[in-house]
Amino acid sequence: MEFNLFGKAVRIQTSKLNQETQRAQAWGDEVVSATSGFYNNISAKIATEIAKVNFQHVKYKKVDGGSDTLASMDGSDIDELLNWKPKGYENTTAFWQAVTKKLLTTRKVYIKIVDDKQGNLIDLKLLESGDEANTNETINLVSPFFINENTSILDATLSGIATKLKQGRMRGMLKINAVVDNDSDEFKQTALKTISTMQSVSSYNGMGVMDDKSEVVEFKNSYSVLNDEEIKLIKQELLSSYFMSEKILSGEATQEEQIYFYNSTIIPLLAQLEKELSYKLISQSKRRKTQGNLYYERIIIDNQLFKFASLKDLISLYHENTNAPFLTVNEFKVLAGLEPSEGGDVYLTNANSKLIEKYSDLRTTDESKTKEEPDVE
């Protein structure tokens, strides 16, 4: 489709994206191969990161003035359902991979909750696009990989790649009745005016005209292999859309690159899963932290960025925290991905490793100044 706007030709090109193969159907084979193969690696990486997390069903105990302690409820029907049952797939890992890959290609994903007559959870079923979903009874996930209801990040990225690949490519030459002059813009103006006139005239019934001294020469050579710059462009565009570097795929990423990818791409999915699973799988009476209720339940997923810290970094932080404590023992354990413990809401400081309950206890006094001195006349 072409428009003649302000004397310039504007061409709009589009291609429907096959949601199953993630291929732009109108693209050339080489572009499709480079794009689809590389995208499959990206989607597999994201799906793997989600599939390998552990869903923890926990019960919190409220602690006045401190961090609420928690106890694991391993072996509950929720733990069994989320971490062990295959849910219609080869195993539970394959199920969560399928959920993640569907979120990459579909705006909304629905998971049906199956229970028995006694209310015990039996199974989860990933609904397909044609299945009817009762959103009050399903786990409803909204994909963070979509710009709007109909356009995914991949759609927009592929469109941008197509535009950039076509820029600078010449499909033909127009011979016009003018003389090339390096010191004047007359030739350029004549050429642009000729092309503009051809487009304007051809807007009527698709017919075009030119003078008897003009000629259109269309290039017949077809170059079917992408060059290095085009392949590099495809990779950069796709990777940046999912906040990744190529080193993430090759396993050579730095700690900073891993944290950036995880924080930007993985954690938004895990945070949504935590909230939706807790809301739909745990009853309101067990979930709410109400007055007079000593316990409340949650489903939590380990999404702490400290998992990317080396043991040396953790030891260094722990050492610094005892010299100038700003985290309680329990707060530090939570950052390290460990469970809070009874009596852990205290600061640990060197003297050597003295336990204190509040910052005011850090102040020390000189005993010699506290003794009453006799009055001197």
Side-chain angles (χ1 to χ4, degrees), residues 192-210:
L192 291 176
K193 186 176 181 180
T194 301
I195 294 173
S196 176
T197 301
M198 289 171 58
Q199 292 170 337
S200 177
V201 174
S202 64
S203 63
Y204 180 76
N205 287 339
M207 299 291 291
V209 297
M210 62 179 67

Side-chain angles (χ1 to χ4, degrees), residues 250-290:
S250 64
E252 302 171 328
T254 64
Q255 179 177 314
E256 289 75 16
E257 289 171 328
Q258 289 176 326
I259 291 175
Y260 178 70
F261 161 66
Y262 205 82
N263 194 38
S264 303
T265 304
I266 304 301
I267 286 184
L269 276 174
L270 298 184
Q272 185 181 181
L273 273 171
E274 273 191 346
K275 292 181 174 63
E276 189 65 9
L277 290 174
S278 293
Y279 181 65
K280 292 296 174 61
L281 300 184
I282 301 175
S283 65
Q284 187 180 39
S285 60
K286 294 181 179 180
R287 188 179 65 249
R288 293 189 62 189
K289 184 179 179 180
T290 58

Side-chain angles (χ1 to χ4, degrees), residues 75-282:
S76 68
D77 59 338
I78 293 178
D79 171 65
E80 174 74 12
L81 181 61
L82 295 179
N83 293 308
W84 304 99
K85 284 196 173 182
K87 296 172 277 291
Y89 286 75
E90 291 82 359
N91 54 44
T92 187
T93 300
F95 173 80
W96 291 113
Q97 285 178 331
V99 170
T100 307
K101 288 185 176 181
K102 196 170 183 65
L103 282 168
L104 287 163
T105 59
T106 308
R107 173 65 171 169
K108 296 177 182 178
V109 173
Y110 303 101
I111 303 174
K112 183 179 179 180
I113 303 169
V114 183
D115 57 15
D116 59 19
K117 295 180 180 179
Q118 287 73 39
N120 298 313
L121 300 176
I122 298 177
D123 211 349
L124 295 178
K125 179 183 178 183
L126 177 59
L127 298 183
E128 300 301 328
S129 56
D131 296 336
E132 186 176 349
N134 183 349
T135 56
N136 293 322
E137 299 177 356
T138 56
I139 298 167
N140 311 316
L141 303 176
V142 179
S143 174
F145 305 113
F146 273 67
I147 298 173
N148 54 46
E149 194 69 26
N150 300 313
T151 307
S152 70
I153 290 177
L154 180 60
D155 292 330
T157 302
L158 294 181
S159 178
I161 292 174
T163 300
K164 291 179 180 180
L165 288 179
K166 291 183 179 297
Q167 287 176 349
R169 287 188 178 181
M170 297 179 65
R171 301 182 60 186
M173 299 288 291
L174 174 65
K175 294 181 180 180
I176 63 173
N177 186 21
V179 179
V180 177
D181 188 351
N182 294 331
D183 298 327
S184 173
D185 289 335
E186 181 180 353
F187 171 78
K188 186 194 312 183
Q189 293 173 357
T190 302
L192 291 176
K193 186 176 181 180
T194 301
I195 294 173
S196 176
T197 301
M198 289 171 58
Q199 292 170 337
S200 177
V201 174
S202 64
S203 63
Y204 180 76
N205 287 339
M207 299 291 291
V209 297
M210 62 179 67
D211 58 44
D212 58 356
K213 295 182 180 180
S214 298
E215 181 182 357
V216 174
V217 180
E218 184 176 358
F219 294 156
K220 295 183 179 180
N221 291 334
S222 176
Y223 301 96
S224 60
V225 179
L226 293 174
N227 59 42
D228 291 341
E229 289 299 319
E230 290 172 332
I231 293 175
K232 183 178 179 181
L233 169 65
I234 290 174
K235 288 184 176 182
Q236 288 179 338
E237 291 290 328
L238 288 174
L239 287 167
S240 62
S241 297
Y242 298 99
F243 307 99
M244 300 173 68
S245 69
E246 192 167 359
K247 291 181 179 180
I248 294 288
L249 298 179
S250 64
E252 302 171 328
T254 64
Q255 179 177 314
E256 289 75 16
E257 289 171 328
Q258 289 176 326
I259 291 175
Y260 178 70
F261 161 66
Y262 205 82
N263 194 38
S264 303
T265 304
I266 304 301
I267 286 184
L269 276 174
L270 298 184
Q272 185 181 181
L273 273 171
E274 273 191 346
K275 292 181 174 63
E276 189 65 9
L277 290 174
S278 293
Y279 181 65
K280 292 296 174 61
L281 300 184
I282 301 175

Side-chain angles (χ1 to χ4, degrees), residues 14-19 21-27 155 158:
T14 184
S15 174
K16 288 186 177 180
L17 192 70
N18 187 311
Q19 296 298 326
T21 63
Q22 290 300 290
R23 290 170 177 258
Q25 297 170 357
W27 284 23
D155 292 330
L158 294 181

